């Protein structure tokens, strides 16, 4: 979930890739990329891995793209970036119950950490993904928070607004679980603001739904309705959002 394409400048290729990616057209975006460089191979693999996380489909295509990226990587940072994508794919498969690949995810992200030097741009994304692993697979919120904060600081330093939208969102999620409502609301609002500014449509519906969890009525229902509209517009993507769009029943306990 790097920010490739969000600051494309005058590069028409990256602008086109970003527009397709942000509208959940990952395969179409990947098809635009040349096949002859490690950079494009890594970007293609990242798109295919992201599609798996959002749609719970396309696992074979992601594996193929990832193997190509691993084969053509030449530098330690390229190998580290490929390992980071390998870890994310294994994480997504475990999270969605396709197959338990948690050990593979840990090993791949550990390998990436050994290859990507501190301070390198790719380190921010790696730290964020290590936070996801800690939060959702290891169930260690303290380790997750520390990783998210490192990623947040690095994303700020490297001007990666898309990644910042993710770190804001996940730090807010941890705050909400701990009952820190004001902190959670602020983080979710920042995440939504960035995604709307970037035009990251596929990530806007989840941001709206998360913010709704911190609001009272009628604002909560309005946010969920808007999230539902975008969710339907994109054909039910991300798949895991469907369960979050139904408000809790009156009097029901909130997890």
């Amino acid at each position: 979930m790097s920010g490739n394409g969000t600051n494309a400048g005058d590069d028409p290729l990256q602008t086109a890739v970003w527009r397709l990616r942000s509208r959940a057209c990952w395969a179409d975006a990947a098809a635009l990329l040349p096949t002859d460089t490690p950079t494009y191979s890594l970007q293609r693999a990242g798109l295919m891995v992201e599609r798996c996380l959002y749609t719970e489909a396309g696992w074979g295509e992601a594996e193929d793209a990832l193997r190509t990226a691993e084969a053509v990587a030449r530098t330690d940072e390229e190998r580290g970036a490929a390992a980071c994508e390998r870890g994310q794919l294994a994480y997504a498969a475990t999270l969605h119950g396709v197959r338990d690949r948690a050990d593979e995810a840990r090993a791949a992200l550990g390998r990436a950490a050994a290859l990507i030097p501190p301070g390198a741009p790719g380190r921010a994304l790696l730290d964020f993904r290590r936070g996801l692993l800690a939060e959702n697979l290891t169930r260690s919120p303290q380790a997750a928070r520390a990783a998210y904060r490192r990623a947040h600081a690095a994303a700020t330093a490297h001007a990666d607004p898309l990644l910042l939208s993710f770190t804001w969102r996940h730090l807010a999620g941890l705050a909400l679980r701990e009952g820190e409502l004001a902190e959670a609301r602020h983080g979710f609002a920042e995440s939504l603001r960035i995604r709307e500014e970037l035009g990251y449509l596929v990530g806007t519906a989840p941001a709206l739904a998360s913010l709704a969890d911190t609001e009272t009525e009628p604002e909560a229902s309005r946010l969920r309705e808007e999230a539902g509209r975008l969710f339907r517009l994109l054909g039910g993507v991300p798949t895991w959002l469907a369960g979050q769009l139904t408000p809790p029943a009156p009097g029901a306990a909130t997890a």
Side-chain angles (χ1 to χ4, degrees), residues 13 16-18 20-21 25-35 40-41 43-48 51 61 65:
L13 172 61
V17 168
W18 169 250
L20 289 166
R21 175 192 178 189
C25 300
W26 294 279
D28 292 337
L32 295 179
L33 296 170
T35 59
Y40 287 131
S41 293
Q43 189 177 359
R44 183 180 297 103
L47 289 167
M48 294 294 94
R51 181 175 70 161
E61 293 91 334

Side-chain angles (χ1 to χ4, degrees), residues 42-210:
L42 282 166
Q43 189 177 359
R44 183 180 297 103
L47 289 167
M48 294 294 94
V49 170
E50 187 172 271
R51 181 175 70 161
C52 292
L53 186 64
Y54 277 75
T55 69
E56 303 179 57
W59 304 97
E61 293 91 334
E63 288 285 356
D64 289 344
L66 189 49
R67 280 194 290 267
T68 298
E70 291 167 337
V72 301
R74 295 292 178 263
T75 68
D76 280 351
E77 284 196 47
E78 289 167 355
R79 294 185 186 96
C84 189
E85 295 299 340
R86 169 69 60 191
Q88 181 71 353
L89 183 61
Y91 162 79
T94 306
L95 186 72
H96 288 314
V98 176
R99 183 157 59 91
D100 186 350
R101 297 173 60 180
D103 289 344
E104 180 187 351
R106 292 187 193 95
L109 295 183
R111 188 163 63 253
L115 291 166
I116 302 173
R123 194 79 185 198
L125 181 61
L126 172 61
D127 280 333
F128 173 70
R129 287 174 171 176
R130 296 178 92 176
L132 291 176
L133 208 69
E135 180 182 1
N136 297 314
L137 300 190
T138 309
R139 306 299 179 188
S140 176
Q142 293 170 334
R145 182 180 291 104
Y148 292 149
R149 284 176 174 168
R150 290 195 303 271
H152 190 85
T156 301
H158 292 289
D160 188 341
L162 181 59
L163 183 55
L164 274 175
S165 82
F166 282 96
T167 55
W168 272 120
R169 173 174 163 76
H170 283 267
L171 285 167
L174 293 176
L176 184 60
R177 291 182 191 179
E178 295 177 353
E180 299 293 339
L181 193 61
E183 182 181 345
R185 184 182 294 115
H186 174 70
F188 287 138
E190 283 297 295
S191 179
L192 175 61
R193 177 187 63 79
I194 293 170
R195 292 179 179 195
E196 288 180 334
E197 288 176 358
L198 292 175
Y200 188 54
L201 195 62
V202 73
T204 299
L208 287 163
S210 292

